Amino acid sequence: MLLHWSPRSPFVRKVMVFAHETGLADRITTTRTAVAMTRPHQALMAENPLSKIPTLRLEDGSVLYDSLVICEYLDTLHGGPRLIPAEGPARWQELRRHALATGFLDLLILWRNERDKPHPLPELLDAFAVKALAALAAVEAEIDEIPMGLAKITLGVLGSYLDFRFDDIEWRKTCPRFAAFHAEFAQRPSMLATPVGEG
């Protein structure tokens, strides 16, 4: 399988951590693919018209995109415990928690893009800050209850992305449980094998 990859994308990192956790990383070849909101990647658009990563080309030539879809697919390829429950209340809880984490990452990327503009809109920056604080509080409230799975992986990646792009908000001061979780999770082999911002 071929994964369009960047070391700075938290969504790509989520897929790679998931692949390492499920023992599938050695079946994936990565290709560096730089994408930006203002510069559509013409070659990538032949496989993903949205010009977004991660995009995964399977052995048969078919293509999957969106990190959740790719992780759902990878979860069908290994023989270990599923990291995304297949059915029932546990599935909806897992997907809801994943939606919080991945939605938070979406917010952070939009926030960063806005604050890097020459003339960012103050009201938009304020709205992002309010939403980020609310999302952090929600993560802090239930981080200790989240089992190993896609949501926990995404939250581990989220903590690292906060450090990488938003070290100025000092999130650990108000989120001690999330901070403790991230300190431990960041030492997992899957996280150490996928350092953010390198490569």
Side-chain angles (χ1 to χ4, degrees):
M1 295 179 283
L2 179 72
L3 182 72
H4 289 279
W5 172 93
S6 166
R8 294 184 173 91
S9 166
F11 302 105
V12 170
R13 191 181 191 202
K14 172 173 60 172
V15 168
M16 289 306 302
V17 171
F18 194 98
H20 279 278
E21 291 287 343
T22 53
L24 298 169
D26 61 351
R27 292 180 56 181
I28 297 175
T29 300
T30 59
T31 181
R32 181 68 181 266
T33 307
V35 299
M37 288 187 180
T38 58
R39 295 187 303 277
H41 192 292
Q42 294 298 323
L44 175 61
M45 289 175 71
E47 295 188 301
N48 182 345
L50 299 173
S51 185
K52 294 177 72 174
I53 55 175
T55 295
L56 182 69
R57 186 193 313 147
L58 307 184
E59 288 97 334
D60 64 3
S62 59
V63 176
L64 298 176
Y65 37 85
D66 182 84
S67 59
L68 174 58
V69 174
I70 294 170
C71 289
E72 284 262 26
Y73 174 72
L74 295 178
D75 216 18
T76 69
L77 301 184
H78 64 95
R82 286 188 65 116
L83 296 183
I84 308 170
E87 59 187 4
R91 176 175 175 79
W92 305 120
Q93 184 83 305
E94 182 71 20
L95 291 178
R96 195 243 337 140
R97 286 167 166 161
H98 170 262
L100 170 63
T102 201
F104 196 169
L105 285 169
D106 282 332
L107 181 155
L108 292 174
I109 288 171
L110 292 172
W111 190 5
R112 176 175 175 262
N113 285 338
E114 183 63 26
R115 71 180 191 173
D116 285 351
K117 290 179 180 178
H119 305 289
L121 292 174
E123 60 270 32
L124 198 49
L125 295 179
D126 290 345
F128 285 135
V130 168
K131 292 177 184 180
L133 288 174
L136 279 169
V139 171
E140 179 72 3
E142 63 176 321
I143 188 64
D144 294 336
E145 304 166 13
I146 300 177
M148 183 57 188
L150 178 62
K152 196 162 218 176
I153 287 170
T154 309
L155 288 167
V157 169
L158 168 65
S160 295
Y161 191 75
L162 283 165
D163 290 341
F164 180 52
R165 295 295 195 193
F166 290 87
D167 60 342
D168 54 307
I169 68 174
E170 299 182 324
W171 60 273
R172 285 179 176 81
K173 289 184 177 179
T174 57
C175 300
R177 290 190 294 275
F178 183 29
F181 152 75
H182 183 260
E184 181 178 353
F185 196 85
Q187 298 307 308
R188 293 180 73 88
S190 60
M191 293 285 282
L192 296 174
T194 59
V196 64
E198 297 181 11

